[in-house]
Amino acid sequence: MKEKFKLVATVAAGLEAVVGKEIRNLGINCQIANGKVFFDGSVEVIARTNLWLRAADRVKIVVGEFPARTFEELFQGVFTLDWENYLPLGAKFPISKAKCVKSKLHNEPSVQAISKKAVAKKLQKYFHRPEGVPLQETGAEFKIEVSILKDKATIMIDTTGASLFKRGYRTEKGGAPIKENMAAAIIELSNWFPDKPFIDPTCGSGTFCIEAAMIGMNIAPGFNRDFAFEAWPWVDKELVQRVRDEAENQANYDIELDISGFDIDGRMVEIAKKNAAEAGLSDVIKLKQMRLQDLKTDKINGVIISNPPYGERMLDDKAVDILYNEMGQTFAPLKTWSKFILTSDENFEKKYGSQADKKRKLYNGTLRVDLYQYYGQRVKRNLS
């Protein structure tokens, strides 16, 4: 099997630079493209990136790229790739996904069927199996993906399994929750550091607070879950365990963090408490039922991150307008605090009552949203 792979981390539009920074922080060189970050590495790098990337969706192996303007070109291109270096005899190899954009080939089920046939034919030839006799697919699963963009095919194998946002701590979720990887990315885009107070005044199921605590304690986001590649027979289980043990040793469970989450909905606060307990962070995060208007604090230099109800998440527009207005009034006295508010409402600044210092376009699933960024006045803290 291969020693080194061409790899790609897939990522939501607008978060490519965040994931690029995470990969570089792991000591890996990378190149950023639209919705993707490319890098090279061994099985150890596959393990490390799956375990540590907070803002990415998945990590995939790029098996090959080639032009595919016809089904014959697609078949030959897939057939030519070195499948024997990835798929052992008996492997399951579903073509789990085909995506065609701005391409002559646009019938996705046909792209899947032809790609499957080409891989099967290559393996039959390599393993000297008679043609016409189907391969037994009883072993480990290797999910293959075919992406054709402007007549260029990219063939990949997913190493992750369930998307990286599935950390394993969410016992229940409320209406339209923010994904864990999007929450982590927004915290990384903010100017929060673990020595600053952190508040989410519309905490819902607690995702921002939990992600902040994991960042603050340097807990690997994938620590509590398994990945697809771990079932592959050529992956060294001891190596993966070593990467997991290293991650465990890098966590700082003794650091003092000041993280609070509030929500007007008592049921959501209970869900947030359950999720925090599942993540092992009950004693780290303060969660309480409270109206946004009642938020007051004497602390300085903190960070507020909020994903308030908006658009599809709340049917009553008038209630949203009132909430945004109250938010502006409640946050105004907190001069040294930075505020980061995620919403799809294009008139947010008007309703909030002041213009953001910076606005960043993001996508929460398919919904276009903006991250409104208000920076607090800097005050030197008395550290004595």
Side-chain angles (χ1 to χ4, degrees), residues 78 93 108 146 155 168 211 267 272 274 302 307 323 329 368:
V78 174
F93 54 99
E108 290 169 356
V146 181
I155 315 297
E211 291 296 322
R267 193 183 65 85
K274 279 185 198 157
N307 175 35
L323 176 71
Q329 291 177 42
R368 151 81 199 266

Side-chain angles (χ1 to χ4, degrees), residues 214-270:
M214 288 173 76
I215 289 168
M217 296 177 129
N218 200 34
I219 297 170
F223 189 69
N224 212 10
R225 55 159 290 175
D226 299 321
F227 303 100
F229 76 91
E230 292 180 85
W232 299 349
W234 47 264
V235 167
D236 182 345
K237 307 291 181 280
E238 285 177 19
L239 170 76
V240 177
Q241 191 55 50
R242 194 171 75 238
V243 172
R244 284 186 175 276
D245 292 345
E246 278 169 18
E248 170 72 357
N249 294 334
Q250 285 172 319
N252 179 0
Y253 295 108
D254 300 324
I255 191 169
E256 288 285 318
L257 296 173
D258 183 352
I259 296 174
S260 307
F262 309 113
D263 203 283
I264 193 167
D265 184 343
R267 193 183 65 85
M268 289 312 302
V269 173
E270 288 311 307

